[in-house]
Amino acid sequence: MTTDSADLDSAAAETTSSKIRALAASGMGLSEIAKELGIRYQHAYNVLKRGAPATVSVGERPIVAEKSGKPPLPVSVLADGGFDLLGQWTLSATGELVVDQPLPREVGVYAFAKDGFAVYVGVATMGISKRLYFYSRPGITQRTSQRLNAKIKSELANAATIQVYTAIPPELEWNALPVHGSAGLELGLIKKYALPWNMRSAR
């Protein structure tokens, strides 16, 4: 009895996929998995993306899939780290998104939170007020703004509260070279915590 080569290829692919999932479940990062198995980063990413269960809620605490290897980000951690609760998203009389408090013009980092946990973190290199304006009225080429505009409106339609936290970290130096404090803080939070609305947080 002979085995079809397509069956062998399929079995080998499934074995590799199983190994990728097992290593991810053990807390290994994508780069480490790719190196360990001798595969491309994108291959590992695609396998995990296909098999990742969606975030679900139990009571008011969002439970993020453990496969991400990252913990959720409580707003208490944001507050302890220097973030301030600015206000919350609401809908205007014309159905547009607005934040119910004045927005700072400074460059900084912002976070959207639901049920006590951050769901999205972003950096506002053009200023927080201007960046959040584009979530209210996204341009036709602004895919992230369009996606989050729809997401926030959907949450508000289901009676959820989406809070806005902001932080304005200082500019830094490293070996006399400039370091962008806001960009570094945003990236650090995305790398460390599970943020379901940040697409990069899944990596």
Side-chain angles (χ1 to χ4, degrees):
M1 179 177 177
T2 59
T3 304
D4 189 272
S5 61
D7 291 337
L8 289 174
D9 290 343
S10 177
E14 184 53 38
T15 301
T16 301
S17 297
S18 299
K19 288 178 181 177
I20 291 169
R21 293 189 194 99
L23 291 172
S26 72
M28 189 176 285
L30 280 171
S31 296
E32 295 170 298
I33 292 171
K35 186 176 180 181
E36 175 76 16
L37 299 179
I39 59 175
R40 291 180 299 112
Y41 177 99
Q42 192 65 37
H43 180 185
Y45 173 74
N46 289 340
V47 168
L48 294 177
K49 185 177 180 182
R50 281 196 306 269
T55 299
V56 296
S57 295
V58 177
E60 292 192 348
R61 179 182 177 86
I63 305 299
V64 180
E66 292 182 4
K67 284 188 178 181
S68 71
K70 300 176 184 180
L73 175 54
V75 295
S76 59
V77 171
L78 289 177
D80 290 345
F83 277 76
D84 295 316
L85 174 58
L86 180 68
Q88 63 187 39
W89 285 107
T90 62
L91 287 174
S92 70
T94 57
E96 294 179 333
L97 285 177
V98 292
V99 178
D100 63 356
Q101 298 294 327
L103 298 170
R105 297 178 179 273
E106 291 89 347
V107 170
V109 181
Y110 56 93
F112 301 154
K114 175 188 174 186
D115 297 333
F117 290 84
V119 291
Y120 185 83
V121 170
V123 62
T125 55
M126 63 184 75
I128 294 171
S129 176
K130 191 171 184 180
R131 181 66 191 96
L132 267 61
Y133 170 84
F134 287 117
Y135 288 119
S136 303
R137 299 169 183 82
I140 57 172
T141 61
Q142 296 173 322
R143 292 183 179 179
T144 299
S145 295
Q146 290 176 356
R147 177 173 63 86
L148 289 179
N149 176 284
K151 183 69 176 173
I152 295 167
K153 284 183 176 179
S154 173
E155 293 287 346
L156 295 179
N158 289 315
T161 298
I162 306 299
Q163 297 174 316
V164 180
Y165 286 79
T166 59
I168 303 173
E171 297 304 299
L172 307 169
E173 275 194 0
W174 179 75
N175 293 339
L177 298 173
V179 177
H180 198 293
S182 295
L185 176 57
E186 181 220 23
L187 180 59
L189 292 172
I190 288 172
K191 287 177 70 69
K192 183 172 182 177
Y193 294 101
L195 300 159
W197 294 3
N198 281 89
M199 298 179 73
R200 285 184 296 163
S201 183
R203 301 181 184 181

